[in-house]
Amino acid sequence: MNRENAQSEKFIMMTTEPVEKLIGKLAVPTIISMLVTTFYNMADTYFVGKIGMDQTETVKAVMQTRAQAAVGVVMALMAIIQAVGFFFGHGSGNYVSRALGRKELDKAEKIAVAGFGYAIIVGLLMAVLGNVFARPLAFLLGANGDTVGYTVDYMRLILVGAPINMASIVLNNQMRFQGNATYAMFGISFGAVLNIGLDALFILVFDMEVMGAALATFIGQAVSFVLLLVGISKSDCIKLRLKAFRLEKHSFAEISRGGLPSLGRQGIAGVSTACLNHMAGIYGAIAYGTEAAGASAIAAMGVVSRVMLFAASALIGFGQGFQPVCGFNYGAGLYDRVRKAFWYCVKVALGFLILLAIPAYVLSGDIIALFRGNDEVAMEIGTIAMRLQIITFPVMSWVVMSNMMLQTMGKVVSATLLAVARNGLMFIPAILLLPLIFGLLGVQLAQPVADILSLALAVPVTVKVLKELPQNASEKL
């Protein structure tokens, strides 16, 4: 079957099959991929909490707290690396899905290779500059005197892997937006599972401490990259002919239209994580009277962030199953199918999050204990923070689905506004102001407050776009 016939069959499937069935079929592999990927981030946190097992209890506790705090600090850097990857991946993927919906195959190929090439170039620049300025970068991200050594060790290899991490994100998203979520899932998930196994080997057997976690992450990302390249060549996805790559203003502009919301969302997540680290360190030390308590607070909030991200990954994966359906049908002018798919996703997501929130709230203390059971300060801080975040978690059903729909439709301003709202416009003022009033409790309250404010913004923005959406393809946008 030639590429035109393959794309024609895919077009028919994406624009005629019931949207509920399509979303379910595309969402299962993306949910699995997101869960596994996020789980390996949690695995880093878990296994570095097992270092120093041959030390005395006091020394072991200090080493583990500093190591987990370092992983929490580098989480901000990883969010920035992912932001750039998603900028090129979502930007090119969104365009490709709409172009295929319009049956413009040549244009889709041009943007696909551009997104991949730009990601490699920017990743290399970030790897070099980040390692040159590693120590000041560590302090900028929220490290303190207790944690900077572990932070720099962990961060250097994460930076070396930035080009392949970004390129993998691009490949994953381009495949997903073309309706090949299963190939994308396998490539990402295999590397993530390998990472978890290597974490255990390098840390528990070879006693490599945080360097072991970083090396495991690097190897896992490299394997995922190779598998995704193979997946592109074996599937009916658009092939990446690197000789066709050009540094062009037009291609970058098209990628920016679909990628800016992701860059804003993920990039601001890196900034907000750095702010959270700083404020947790300061107010944890104030609340308990020691700098060591500040490190415990950073570690606790890092654990909470990763656990909540793991829970949110299922929601994001479900939304990613919706995006190619939205892109193809929007490009084809089938606006009723876009509306129907959106409302279906919001209802399913809301029900799922409510069901998830109840047991998660009850078991919050036990969940935190898996990571910080030997640190009473971190246990207390983390349990309260997690329960507060769980209360507002269900509102993300509307916020996430709205953002994904607007981004896929190419509504740059609206999508970018919603993308930066939760972790930027709402969270950063909250994390800077609430601790001044409530102390450490203000640090713990910042995220749920940001969730509520994000919902208040997302509802009118999305309703307006839905009302302006034409009833059929004959109406002008």
Side-chain angles (χ1 to χ4, degrees):
M1 181 185 295
N2 61 38
R3 65 178 188 175
E4 287 80 8
N5 288 337
Q7 293 299 335
S8 179
E9 285 192 8
K10 185 177 294 182
F11 174 84
I12 293 171
M13 178 190 73
M14 297 292 284
T15 56
T16 60
E17 197 168 302
V19 293
E20 298 87 351
K21 181 180 178 181
L22 266 177
I23 292 169
K25 182 164 58 177
L26 293 171
V28 169
T30 56
I31 289 172
I32 293 172
S33 178
M34 287 298 302
L35 286 173
V36 173
T37 302
T38 312
F39 186 74
Y40 90 71
N41 286 328
M42 291 173 60
D44 279 358
T45 302
Y46 175 80
F47 283 111
V48 298
K50 303 300 179 183
I51 69 174
M53 299 302 288
D54 57 343
Q55 304 291 327
T56 65
E57 287 299 318
T58 300
V59 173
K60 179 173 69 176
V62 171
M63 290 176 65
Q64 291 174 355
T65 296
R66 290 177 178 177
Q68 286 192 327
V71 172
V73 170
V74 178
M75 188 177 175
L77 174 65
M78 295 176 74
I80 294 171
I81 292 172
Q82 290 170 356
V84 180
F86 281 121
F87 171 74
F88 293 116
H90 283 170
S92 58
N94 278 319
Y95 182 91
V96 166
S97 69
R98 295 196 304 271
L100 293 177
R102 298 189 297 266
K103 301 185 179 181
E104 297 173 344
L105 184 57
D106 290 340
K107 291 182 179 179
E109 289 181 335
K110 180 179 178 181
I111 298 301
V113 72
F116 180 80
Y118 284 130
I120 294 290
I121 293 170
V122 175
L124 288 170
L125 288 173
M126 186 174 290
V128 172
L129 293 175
N131 270 289
V132 170
F133 301 103
R135 192 172 179 85
L137 178 59
F139 283 114
L140 182 64
L141 294 172
N144 59 20
D146 275 0
T147 62
V148 68
Y150 278 133
T151 301
V152 171
D153 287 345
Y154 185 66
M155 184 171 62
R156 287 193 183 278
L157 263 179
I158 298 299
L159 284 164
V160 170
I164 58 174
N165 189 9
M166 290 179 187
S168 295
I169 291 171
V170 171
L171 293 173
N172 177 55
N173 281 282
Q174 288 185 359
M175 295 174 73
R176 183 173 59 80
F177 273 100
Q178 293 176 67
N180 287 277
T182 301
Y183 281 100
M185 173 200 71
F186 178 77
I188 291 293
S189 299
F190 188 90
V193 172
L194 177 63
N195 185 353
I196 295 169
L198 292 176
D199 269 333
L201 178 66
F202 293 157
I203 295 173
L204 301 183
V205 179
F206 294 155
D207 197 26
M208 294 176 66
E209 300 185 357
V210 293
M211 282 295 292
L215 182 59
T217 299
F218 176 81
I219 294 173
Q221 290 173 351
V223 170
S224 287
F225 175 67
V226 173
L227 291 175
L228 288 167
L229 279 178
V230 173
I232 284 281
S233 67
K234 298 295 184 182
S235 70
D236 60 358
C237 286
I238 291 171
K239 304 302 183 283
L240 298 175
R241 296 179 296 112
L242 294 182
K243 63 182 181 180
F245 174 70
R246 299 288 186 276
L247 292 172
E248 294 179 342
K249 182 177 180 181
H250 170 73
S251 61
F252 190 83
E254 290 295 345
I255 290 171
S256 297
R257 286 185 64 197
L260 275 175
S262 293
L263 181 64
R265 177 175 57 251
Q266 292 292 126
I268 208 71
V271 175
S272 66
T273 301
C275 292
L276 175 62
N277 291 332
H278 282 290
M279 300 304 279
I282 292 170
Y283 285 93
I286 292 173
Y288 291 89
T290 65
E291 187 172 5
S296 292
I298 295 172
M301 296 307 297
V303 169
V304 172
S305 296
R306 288 182 182 248
V307 170
M308 294 305 297
L309 181 60
F310 178 73
S313 65
L315 171 65
I316 296 170
F318 183 63
Q320 288 177 343
F322 158 67
Q323 283 185 300
V325 178
C326 177
F328 268 82
N329 286 280
Y330 185 76
L334 302 175
Y335 306 120
D336 283 342
R337 285 174 60 84
V338 174
R339 288 191 192 86
K340 186 176 182 180
F342 170 76
W343 286 113
Y344 169 74
C345 287
V346 169
K347 288 185 287 186
V348 171
L350 179 61
F352 168 76
L353 292 183
I354 291 173
L355 290 175
L356 180 65
I358 296 170
Y361 185 93
V362 174
L363 298 173
S364 294
D366 297 309
I367 294 170
I368 300 299
L370 289 174
F371 300 89
R372 300 301 308 145
N374 62 343
D375 187 337
E376 292 184 4
V377 173
M379 277 283 296
E380 182 177 349
I381 294 171
T383 301
I384 294 172
M386 186 171 172
R387 286 179 173 169
L388 289 171
Q389 291 190 31
I390 287 170
I391 292 171
T392 61
F393 195 46
V395 307
M396 288 298 99
S397 56
W398 180 277
V399 176
V400 170
M401 294 305 162
S402 296
N403 188 229
M404 288 188 166
M405 180 183 69
L406 297 178
Q407 182 176 358
T408 305
M409 290 164 59
K411 304 291 184 181
V412 182
V413 176
S414 298
T416 303
L417 177 64
L418 295 190
V420 302
R422 184 181 183 227
N423 288 320
L425 298 177
M426 309 306 178
F427 178 79
I428 292 177
I431 192 63
L432 295 178
L433 296 176
L434 290 177
L436 298 177
I437 303 171
F438 301 107
L440 181 59
L441 179 60
V443 175
Q444 297 162 317
L445 279 169
Q447 189 63 71
V449 168
D451 288 343
I452 296 299
L453 294 176
S454 298
L455 177 66
L457 174 64
V459 169
V461 170
T462 308
V463 168
K464 181 176 183 294
V465 171
L466 287 171
K467 286 182 177 179
E468 293 174 349
L469 200 62
Q471 292 301 315
N472 53 62
S474 63
E475 297 181 37
K476 190 175 181 180
L477 278 170

